[in-house]
Amino acid sequence: MAFTLYSLIQTAILCTNAIAVLHEERFLSKRSGLDQGVSGFGDDPGIKAQVLNLIRSVRTVMRVPLIIVNSASIVLLLLFG
Amino acid sequence: MRHAASLRRLRRGEAAHRRRPARGRRGGAAVRGLTSANVTMDLPHHGYRASKQRGRPAPMGGESVLFDDTSTSASQGYYTPGYNMAAPSNDMQAGVNNLFTDPMANAAMMYGSSIANQGKDMVNKEISRFMSVNKLKYFFAVDTRYVLRKLMILMFPYTHQDWEVRYHRDTPLTPRQDVNAPDLYIPTMAFITYVLLAGMALGIQKRFSPEVLGLCASTALVWIIIEVLVMLLSLYLLTVHSDLSTFDLIAYSGYKYVGMIFTMLCGLLFGSDGYFVALAWSSCALMFFIVRSLKMKILTSLASDSMATGSSAKPQVRMYITVATAIFQPVIIYWLTSHLVR
């Protein structure tokens, strides 16, 4: 299994795109039904809450850079195959 | 009388000590400021002290020019090849002395060195936005004794007694002072050595081409990145509050390259049997090392967050993480070296 750096970049772009296209109200709100109930202050949030936090923060942070990177990769793939 | 004399000696000693670090910094202006401060402060007490201060600014002036000289000639070595398309840097050093006589070339050199300094400052600023360079310097503060002892511990960790990372007033000790501290020098050098060894192994089997070398290097690098990302993700998701930073994880992931190099060498020298024996030996040693080192950092973190909620779950989960990391090491060693040693 020979990885090149280009394949790593491709994997990163594809995974971030997958996280960015999850639908907020149909999918994520359903999954976080227990989250708002159990989140205390001194309590460590469970693994589900942490995953949802991570997904939400990735979506918020990476939305605009993903637009730029996707457009750039579309143009490059069209030009250079 | 004696008290005044000893006071004089003390003042001279500490003033000299104060002067020395300032000389290391850029420019004679800071030093001249210090010496003038000394003069105003100490003039009422000691007569010959004032004369010493007055004698000092002349060599200070020469010293600052000398300091600037070395930086411009060093930057000349980097930048004038672009400008002049001239000879190698040896001729550059000889030619630089001749260029001093020409004022135009002098002005051009000053301009070039100022641009070089600006570029250097800009690069430093940009880099320090992404990662703190001081934290990185901590990992490279090693010396020979540390490297030798660490390599021995990596290959034979069973007799090492004390695995605690020692602290000094809340900051961890540098690798020079503490043999348990992680460093980035050994992983970097081991990675480069692994890539070179892979090229040599392929060359011995007549399968070498320059692209394969780059492929090997980037494959190993990608595996490190994957492992560090999985470790970071698992430590975050399971809310394990340890003080392992990203660089620490990179360091602990990079220690497996030492085992890989040893395994490959034995495989090349002693054939397939030697390869498997060395693989078993270095896998056991590395698993022991990783479990003992990470146990200190992950399992004995703050007790405050595990008191109230499910303290039965926490130590188990942390042990799972440690053991999973340890089991991953031999797998990846086998994966990355078996195709090189047939």
Side-chain angles (χ1 to χ4, degrees):
Chain A
M1 207 190 304
F3 295 127
T4 53
L5 278 179
Y6 174 66
S7 68
L8 185 69
I9 296 178
Q10 234 179 357
T11 315
I13 292 181
L14 286 175
C15 282
T16 331
N17 274 335
I19 295 184
V21 300
L22 290 173
H23 199 279
E24 179 70 41
E25 65 174 49
R26 275 186 229 155
F27 186 77
L28 290 179
S29 308
K30 301 282 179 53
R31 296 295 176 272
S32 72
L34 301 166
D35 175 23
Q36 269 71 20
V38 187
S39 62
F41 269 127
D43 214 357
D44 272 337
I47 178 170
K48 208 161 158 181
Q50 287 285 89
V51 170
L52 286 166
N53 268 340
L54 186 64
I55 291 183
R56 282 227 175 83
S57 47
V58 164
R59 287 159 60 93
T60 320
V61 167
M62 294 300 270
R63 209 162 270 273
V64 173
L66 260 186
I67 297 177
I68 301 174
V69 168
N70 278 332
S71 320
S73 63
I74 288 175
V75 167
L76 284 176
L77 279 175
L78 279 177
L79 287 179
F80 299 117
Chain B
M1 193 68 120
R2 202 183 298 175
H3 179 65
S6 63
L7 246 180
R8 248 174 264 147
R9 239 174 284 129
L10 242 171
R11 296 264 174 108
R12 204 179 331 153
E14 77 177 16
H17 176 71
R18 244 182 292 141
R19 246 176 272 124
R20 240 174 265 127
R23 202 177 295 166
R25 277 189 225 114
R26 205 176 296 270
V31 182
R32 277 191 216 104
L34 257 185
T35 55
S36 62
N38 277 344
V39 165
T40 54
M41 212 162 52
D42 293 333
L43 199 47
H45 293 286
H46 319 286
Y48 64 90
R49 203 163 169 55
S51 66
K52 247 197 176 81
Q53 302 306 324
R54 274 186 227 121
R56 207 157 286 275
M60 274 307 120
E63 179 112 4
S64 69
V65 169
L66 279 176
F67 186 74
D68 283 345
D69 250 6
T70 55
S71 76
T72 55
S73 65
S75 69
Q76 282 311 298
Y78 295 128
Y79 280 88
T80 46
Y83 292 154
N84 298 335
M85 274 158 292
S89 58
N90 295 336
D91 297 347
M92 203 72 57
Q93 299 295 335
V96 154
N97 294 329
N98 293 335
L99 281 174
F100 275 150
T101 55
D102 184 10
M104 267 307 270
N106 220 352
M109 228 164 37
M110 289 300 154
Y111 182 63
S113 73
S114 79
I115 289 208
N117 284 338
Q118 269 180 19
K120 198 165 56 172
D121 290 339
M122 201 162 57
V123 166
N124 278 342
K125 201 168 55 150
E126 295 298 318
I127 286 188
S128 64
R129 258 203 279 161
F130 292 114
M131 60 181 178
S132 78
V133 187
N134 283 333
K135 191 91 171 62
L136 199 58
K137 278 188 191 165
Y138 159 80
F139 285 100
F140 283 99
V142 296
D143 60 349
T144 319
R145 212 181 59 112
Y146 168 82
V147 170
L148 284 175
R149 289 192 63 191
K150 193 78 175 190
L151 287 177
M152 254 190 48
I153 294 178
L154 277 171
M155 283 287 104
F156 195 76
Y158 310 108
T159 55
H160 188 65
Q161 303 296 343
D162 178 26
W163 293 86
E164 278 281 334
V165 177
R166 282 183 282 268
Y167 283 83
H168 171 69
R169 291 187 205 150
D170 271 353
T171 60
L173 284 179
T174 60
R176 269 197 206 120
Q177 297 143 348
D178 175 25
V179 86
N180 289 321
D183 71 317
L184 278 175
Y185 172 80
I186 292 182
T188 316
M189 293 296 144
F191 176 73
I192 297 177
T193 312
Y194 161 75
V195 173
L196 293 175
L197 252 189
M200 203 178 78
L202 287 176
I204 289 181
Q205 300 167 14
K206 309 224 182 348
R207 288 191 288 152
F208 180 77
S209 75
E211 294 93 34
V212 176
L213 212 59
L215 200 63
C216 208
S218 62
T219 307
L221 199 65
V222 165
W223 276 114
I224 283 194
I225 292 177
I226 290 179
E227 182 182 353
V228 168
L229 278 181
V230 167
M231 279 280 297
L232 277 175
L233 202 66
S234 61
L235 283 178
Y236 170 76
L237 286 183
L238 300 166
T239 61
V240 177
H241 299 295
S242 71
D243 54 351
L244 282 175
S245 71
T246 316
F247 288 134
D248 287 336
L249 289 176
I250 297 179
Y252 284 120
S253 305
Y255 281 139
K256 67 165 84 63
Y257 285 110
V258 180
M260 265 198 250
I261 291 171
F262 173 67
T263 313
M264 273 177 64
L265 273 179
C266 289
L268 286 175
L269 290 174
F270 303 121
S272 178
D273 300 330
Y275 172 71
F276 283 113
V277 166
L279 180 67
W281 174 271
S282 63
S283 307
C284 291
L286 206 63
M287 284 200 288
F288 191 83
F289 175 82
I290 290 280
V291 167
R292 290 298 292 265
S293 304
L294 288 184
K295 198 167 67 167
M296 289 290 159
K297 297 242 166 168
I298 296 184
L299 284 174
T300 63
S301 48
L302 313 168
S304 59
D305 60 335
S306 67
M307 270 309 144
T309 63
S311 58
S312 63
K314 282 306 189 70
Q316 270 184 16
V317 158
R318 294 168 191 221
M319 189 50 102
Y320 283 154
I321 294 180
T322 320
V323 170
T325 312
I327 299 255
F328 182 69
Q329 314 284 335
V331 169
I332 199 68
I333 292 181
Y334 176 73
W335 190 267
L336 283 179
T337 54
S338 70
H339 65 99
L340 297 169
V341 182
R342 284 278 173 79

